[in-house]
Amino acid sequence: MSKHDQNEDPHDDDRSRNAANIGVAVVVVILLVVGYWLINALIRQSKLEDCMLAHRRDCIAVEAPRT
């Protein structure tokens, strides 16, 4: 065995692996949230376009100002 192998702490390897796993999990969650938001935005846009192509005038809800 080399001098470097004898001085390594096996817990350091576990810590770095755990940190990498947490990092990957965070990235996956972020991608899922962004993907969910993007899909919903595309669905809303598609419904709006379908409504407008049908020549309807009530496609976008307009709120009256409160007095």
Side-chain angles (χ1 to χ4, degrees), residues 2-67:
S2 70
K3 187 176 183 181
H4 179 69
D5 291 337
Q6 293 173 355
N7 291 335
E8 273 190 35
D9 186 10
H11 296 293
D12 287 341
D13 189 37
D14 289 341
R15 286 187 202 123
S16 64
R17 190 177 317 134
N18 287 339
N21 288 341
I22 290 171
V24 168
V26 168
V27 169
V28 168
V29 168
I30 289 171
L31 287 175
L32 288 173
V33 169
V34 169
Y36 180 77
W37 173 80
L38 181 61
I39 293 295
N40 283 331
L42 290 172
I43 289 170
R44 282 191 308 269
Q45 186 66 28
S46 176
K47 288 180 181 180
L48 178 63
E49 287 177 358
D50 289 344
C51 181
M52 294 175 101
L53 287 172
H55 300 289
R56 293 174 48 193
R57 294 182 183 200
D58 59 347
C59 296
I60 300 175
V62 178
E63 291 185 27
R66 297 180 186 189
T67 56

